[in-house]
């Protein structure tokens, strides 16, 4: 597992207070992990901070699963 | 009660009478204040008068780019995150609706409502992270009652109330409250321009029998900014001497 994936999962666990085992790559923040829309905004803010990148609103709207977040960060940070 | 030590507040329109009174009251309760407005000299005079914990961040709220950078500028000046935002700045371009120019409508909505929304949006990010925040918008009695000759102003002030209720619902789980204070007739440069005849007619409509002061409005803001008001959100606190009981 890449470093990015681990850091993303750690943030999700911390922010949503969910079991680490539930945070699989295909888990949807809202459907599987119990996030509400405000939580998803906060997650994006936390990703931006952790990875020192900017996630524009239109991209943020497409980040629905753990994998979406990992892929976006892998593509936009070096 | 109502201790604001350690909190940082941004007050727009702080070069005006009510805004200056609000900044002073927040500062008196221990807050660090960032004073915004278009008249730098007036802001600097107020800051100097307050002594420490006061910073000047001039901004023309009709300029979207300037608005976009204001919260950041206030946080940089104060050296801390923003805890309290007071959307106080406002202007009027009165006239009968049938004669009202588009530009007069737009200017009033841009400064009174759109800038308040943009500043709120910018301030909310940090407040969400810190799990604490207060957004207080100064609306007006006419936002609820309407007022002939002020279709634009009344719409902007009613808009602030609807906006605040919506934001309040969105961010309540994060320890952030969003409220309005609605002044009635307050002694200010705006009311000084009225004739004695106009004033006496107005006073007849105010059960308290006097005009309010900036300090009356500021006290309501201090309350809503305080930790004690943490369970009060989405509300409009009317400060009008009984002129309208809503």
């Amino acid at each position: 597992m890449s470093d990015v994936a681990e850091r993303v999962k750690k943030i999700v666990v911390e922010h949503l207070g969910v079991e680490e085992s539930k945070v699989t790559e295909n888990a949807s923040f809202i459907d599987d992990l119990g996030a509400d829309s405000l939580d998803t905004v906060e997650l994006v803010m936390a990703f931006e901070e952790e990875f020192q990148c900017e996630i524009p609103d239109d991209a943020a709207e497409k980040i629905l699963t753990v994998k979406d977040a990992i892929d976006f960060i892998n593509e936009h940070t070096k | 009660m109502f201790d604001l030590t350690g909190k940082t507040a941004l007050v727009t329109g702080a070069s005006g009478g009510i805004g200056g009174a609000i900044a002073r009251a927040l500062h008196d309760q221990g807050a660090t204040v960032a004073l915004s407005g278009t008249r730098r000299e007036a802001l600097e005079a107020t800051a100097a008068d307050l002594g420490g914990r006061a910073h000047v961040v001039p901004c023309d709220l009709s300029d979207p780019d300037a608005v976009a950078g204001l919260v950041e500028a206030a946080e940089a000046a104060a050296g801390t995150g923003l805890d309290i935002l007071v959307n106080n700045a406002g202007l009027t371009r009165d006239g009968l609706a049938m004669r009202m120019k588009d530009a007069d409508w737009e200017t009033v909505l841009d400064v009174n409502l759109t800038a308040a929304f943009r500043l709120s949006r910018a301030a909310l990010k940090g407040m969400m992270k810190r799990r604490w925040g207060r957004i207080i918008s100064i609306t007006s009695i006419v936002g609820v009652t309407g007022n002939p000759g002020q279709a634009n102003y009344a719409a902007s002030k009613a808009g602030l109330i609807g906006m605040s209720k919506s934001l309040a619902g969105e961010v309540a789980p994060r320890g952030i409250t969003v409220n309005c204070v609605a002044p009635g007739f307050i002694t200010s440069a705006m009311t000084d321009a009225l004739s004695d005849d106009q004033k006496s007619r107005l006073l007849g409509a105010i059960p308290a029998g006097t005009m309010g002061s900036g300090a009356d409005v500021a006290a309501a803001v201090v309350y809503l900014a305080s930790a004690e008001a943490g369970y009060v959100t989405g509300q409009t606190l009317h400060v009008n001497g009984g002129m309208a009981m809503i």
Side-chain angles (χ1 to χ4, degrees), chain B residues 61 63-64 67-68 71 110 113-123 163:
Chain B
L61 295 181
D63 173 357
V67 173
V71 168
D110 282 352
L113 182 58
T114 306
F117 169 71
R118 290 187 173 135
L119 293 177
S120 301
R121 183 175 59 190
M163 177 192 86

Side-chain angles (χ1 to χ4, degrees), chain A residues 38-39 42 45 48-49, chain B residues 128-129 131 170 174:
Chain A
L38 197 57
D39 290 322
E42 281 190 315
M45 279 161 48
E48 287 179 328
E49 198 163 312
Chain B
M128 293 251 294
K129 276 187 200 157
R131 293 290 192 268
E170 290 183 17
R174 299 296 187 270

Side-chain angles (χ1 to χ4, degrees), chain B residues 141 182-186 205-208 210 212 237-246:
Chain B
I141 184 174
F185 270 95
I186 304 297
I206 304 173
T210 57
L237 184 48
H238 289 268
V239 180
N240 63 27
M243 189 178 179
M245 303 187 194
I246 315 148

Side-chain angles (χ1 to χ4, degrees), chain B residues 1-6 23-31 53 222:
Chain B
M1 293 271 273
F2 313 140
D3 181 24
L4 299 176
T5 305
R24 186 173 301 277
L26 294 171
H27 187 269
D28 283 350
Q29 296 306 113
R53 293 184 283 111
V222 165

Side-chain angles (χ1 to χ4, degrees), chain B residues 21-127:
Chain B
I22 291 168
R24 186 173 301 277
L26 294 171
H27 187 269
D28 283 350
Q29 296 306 113
T32 296
V33 292
L35 311 169
S36 188
T38 48
R39 288 177 285 143
R40 179 185 278 276
E41 299 75 35
L43 296 172
E44 277 171 354
T46 305
D49 196 31
L50 291 176
R53 293 184 283 111
H55 307 275
V56 170
V57 279
C59 181
D60 176 359
L61 295 181
S62 63
D63 173 357
D65 292 335
V67 173
L70 179 56
V71 168
E72 215 171 309
E75 292 185 330
T80 62
L82 186 63
D83 304 296
I84 302 162
L85 168 65
V86 183
N87 289 312
N88 166 72
L91 47 77
T92 56
R93 292 283 185 275
D94 296 352
L96 290 175
M98 281 180 291
R99 300 240 176 270
M100 189 174 284
K101 303 268 185 292
D102 282 352
D104 290 337
W105 173 270
E106 282 157 13
T107 302
V108 169
L109 268 290
D110 282 352
V111 171
N112 297 10
L113 182 58
T114 306
F117 169 71
R118 290 187 173 135
L119 293 177
S120 301
R121 183 175 59 190
L124 277 172
K125 267 198 167 185
M127 291 176 179

